[in-house]
């Protein structure tokens, strides 16, 4: 996965996902980590979409935190992207051609 093809904000979201997993002593970075990382790093797009869809953001965050707490804890090991998270990021990259973009942004 080449994060150089990601915008700064997207890179920040991935980095935040890593930090969330690290804080919770988790080795595998799951889609829930990534989604919560997106919510925490992007105040504009995510909150706009949630308001537009009439979604309660705090309930989503609580549900994500519950999912994350249920992930296995491992210490002393290197972190890695789970297969599901890798698929999410690859899917986001696949939208580049469709949207005629050069970089993966949080919208993808």
């Amino acid at each position: 996965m080449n994060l150089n093809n990601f915008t700064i904000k997207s890179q920040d979201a991935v980095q935040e996902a890593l930090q969330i997993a690290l804080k919770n002593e988790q080795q595998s970075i799951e889609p829930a980590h990534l989604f919560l990382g997106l919510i925490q790093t992007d105040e504009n797009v995510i909150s706009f979409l949630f308001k537009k869809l009439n979604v309660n953001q705090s309930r989503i965050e609580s549900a994500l935190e519950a999912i994350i707490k249920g992930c296995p804890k491992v210490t002393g090991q290197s972190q890695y992207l789970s297969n599901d998270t890798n698929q999410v990021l690859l899917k986001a990259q696949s939208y580049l051609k469709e949207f005629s973009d050069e970089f993966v942004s949080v919208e993808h």
Side-chain angles (χ1 to χ4, degrees):
M1 180 70 44
N2 184 4
L3 290 181
N4 290 330
N5 295 337
F6 287 62
T7 62
I8 299 295
K9 194 63 98 171
S10 295
Q11 290 177 17
D12 289 347
V14 172
Q15 184 63 38
E16 185 64 24
L18 293 169
Q19 292 302 316
I20 292 167
L22 184 64
K23 180 180 79 174
N24 287 284
E25 299 178 337
Q26 295 161 336
Q27 182 180 18
S28 176
I29 313 305
E30 299 294 337
H33 295 104
L34 185 59
F35 192 18
L36 188 57
L38 271 171
I39 292 171
Q40 292 179 354
T41 58
D42 182 63
E43 315 81 40
N44 300 319
V45 175
I46 302 297
S47 62
F48 172 78
L49 289 174
F50 283 166
K51 286 178 188 171
K52 191 83 169 163
L53 297 170
N54 200 26
V55 172
N56 185 328
Q57 183 169 337
S58 62
R59 290 184 88 189
I60 296 290
E61 288 179 26
S62 295
L64 289 170
E65 288 169 1
I67 292 168
I68 290 168
K69 287 191 188 310
C71 292
K73 294 182 182 277
V74 177
T75 57
Q77 300 292 321
S78 300
Q79 290 182 300
Y80 64 91
L81 296 176
S82 72
N83 288 335
D84 290 339
T85 304
N86 197 39
Q87 290 300 313
V88 168
L89 295 176
L90 288 173
K91 184 67 173 176
Q93 281 185 314
S94 75
Y95 287 124
L96 289 180
K97 290 180 185 171
E98 185 178 329
F99 294 135
S100 300
D101 289 332
E102 290 183 49
F103 298 97
V104 176
S105 65
V106 295
E107 291 87 351
H108 295 114

